[in-house]
Amino acid sequence: MTFIDDPIFYVAAIPAMLIIGISKGGFAGTLGMLGVPLVTLVIPPVQAAAIILPILCLMDIFGLIAYRRGADWKNLWCMLPGAVTGIFIGALLFKYLNDDIVRLLVGSVAVLFTLNHWLKPAIKQQVAGRSFIKGSFWGSISGFTSFVAHAGGPPLQFYMLPQKINKTLFVGTSVWFFFVVNYVKLIPYTYLGQFSSENLGTSLLLLPLAPIGIWLGVRLHKLVPEELFYRFAYLMLFAVGLKLLFDAFNGLFGIF
């Protein structure tokens, strides 16, 4: 089994894996989207996604250990059928997808959603309830963007954040959601031939970072107050949206 032997790759990949682990272990996945682009700075996005997926799957197991009892099962029922549908739509369209178009769509919605939350009067910010229709819609978007770019965090946030549920229940629901999503993704990734010997060998080298990142995330989660958590979640969602828009415009038009 071979692996990537370029030291520059690991300069980007090691902090990226830790960031993803911290995000999954304590911040509902949003922060993890800042880690994925680091890897794509040094290798193609498709290869980066293939290397990262097995590590995500291991992180999901550690995440379940930490949050095995903390999940909103009714919300999961609303989201997961759509997520599985979105994954297989992504698989069917895989050969025709443009990574920058996906980044543009996800980044635009992330930025607009966050600005809407910040700018509208607080009196109108009513707590949303569960909805199978909304959950299925955003779940399908999350499944699709997770398949093509491991960018399923913002659509999940769009559905879950307005509900303002307890932060631990929020993170636990996210952990269970992406546990199912990532393991389902293994099927089309394998069928599409994404797990080459080099990709799997590189994943194996990076696997020890999975429990370290999750542990750091769990520790930070316990230290952060709930109000600060939601402020941080919206701020990170906005930052990720800007990063995705930057990458999209640069890739499509070479503006930056």
Side-chain angles (χ1 to χ4, degrees), residues 176-192:
W176 277 95
F177 177 82
F178 285 110
F179 168 76
V180 175
V181 165
N182 286 329
Y183 276 86
V184 171
K185 280 156 57 178
L186 290 173
I187 300 172
Y189 266 61
T190 301
Y191 177 77
L192 293 168

Side-chain angles (χ1 to χ4, degrees), residues 6 42 45 99 103 113 136 140 166 168 176 188 192-193 196 201 222:
D6 182 2
V42 290
D99 290 339
R103 294 187 184 105
F113 178 83
S136 297
S140 65
N166 171 273
T168 301
W176 277 95
L192 293 168
S196 66
K222 294 178 179 179

Side-chain angles (χ1 to χ4, degrees), residues 79-88 135-136 139-144 177 181:
M79 294 184 292
L80 282 174
V84 173
T85 301
I87 290 169
F88 284 99
S136 297
S140 65
I141 300 298
S142 180
F144 178 81
F177 177 82
V181 165

Side-chain angles (χ1 to χ4, degrees), residues 101-117:
I101 294 297
V102 175
R103 294 187 184 105
L104 179 63
L105 292 174
V106 176
S108 297
V109 178
V111 169
L112 292 174
F113 178 83
T114 310
L115 289 176
N116 178 66
H117 171 78

